[in-house]
Amino acid sequence: MQITRNATETAPGPADWFTGSVLIDAVAAPGEGSRISASAVRFTPGARTAWHTHPNGQTIYVTEGVGRCQRRGGPVEVIRPGDRVFFEPREEHWHGAAPDRFMTHIAMVEVDEAGNAADWGTHVSDEEYSSPVGE
Ligand code: MN
């Protein structure tokens, strides 16, 4: 058993991987005998990830606000608290806040043998970010 006290600093999302201001708190860290990596991620309005993939897929669970997500070739979808999204292994996608709302989600992945959680691509342009369905 290992207790990690609430002393880890909130980390900003790196600019290479995110557009806008994003704040990340660790929920579960992979290590001895566990490949689970989980984070609480807070996106300010308009902030979003870059395009990326996960070697073993990813589940996000929205806890607050209004967000958007998209898989490559699909429509931009609106996501709300209580929604969860599974991105398939190697499925290219992005996720983030709505333009005028915060969005918080818990993100969960299994890292690969090398400890890699994601492979990152280009930023999501304003054009790609716009035009959601289901508004
Ligand atoms: Mn993802």
Side-chain angles (χ1 to χ4, degrees):
M1 187 174 108
Q2 180 182 349
I3 298 176
T4 302
R5 299 297 179 186
N6 188 359
T8 309
E9 286 187 13
T10 299
D16 284 352
W17 300 349
F18 295 93
T19 297
S21 184
V22 176
L23 297 166
I24 302 171
D25 288 302
V27 173
E32 298 293 314
S34 173
R35 288 200 184 171
I36 297 172
S37 176
S39 304
V41 187
R42 294 176 170 86
F43 297 83
T44 57
R48 65 267 191 182
T49 69
W51 287 101
H52 64 284
T53 64
H54 303 283
N56 295 309
Q58 178 185 48
T59 293
I60 61 171
Y61 179 76
V62 180
T63 58
E64 191 177 16
V66 181
R68 293 181 174 185
C69 65
Q70 182 184 27
R71 67 175 174 83
R72 181 71 79 182
V76 177
E77 303 272 4
V78 175
I79 50 176
R80 298 175 184 280
D83 292 344
R84 69 173 192 264
V85 183
F86 178 68
F87 301 102
E88 300 276 349
R90 298 278 151 218
E91 181 173 62
E92 197 176 14
H93 69 281
W94 61 269
H95 31 107
D100 50 0
R101 294 294 301 271
F102 275 80
M103 190 274 280
T104 302
H105 68 44
I106 307 296
M108 292 157 276
V109 302
E110 283 184 86
V111 300
D112 68 12
E113 296 78 359
N116 183 39
D119 292 302
W120 293 92
T122 58
H123 283 93
V124 174
S125 69
D126 290 343
E127 195 168 56
E128 291 171 319
Y129 175 73
S130 62
S131 305
V133 299
E135 283 267 54

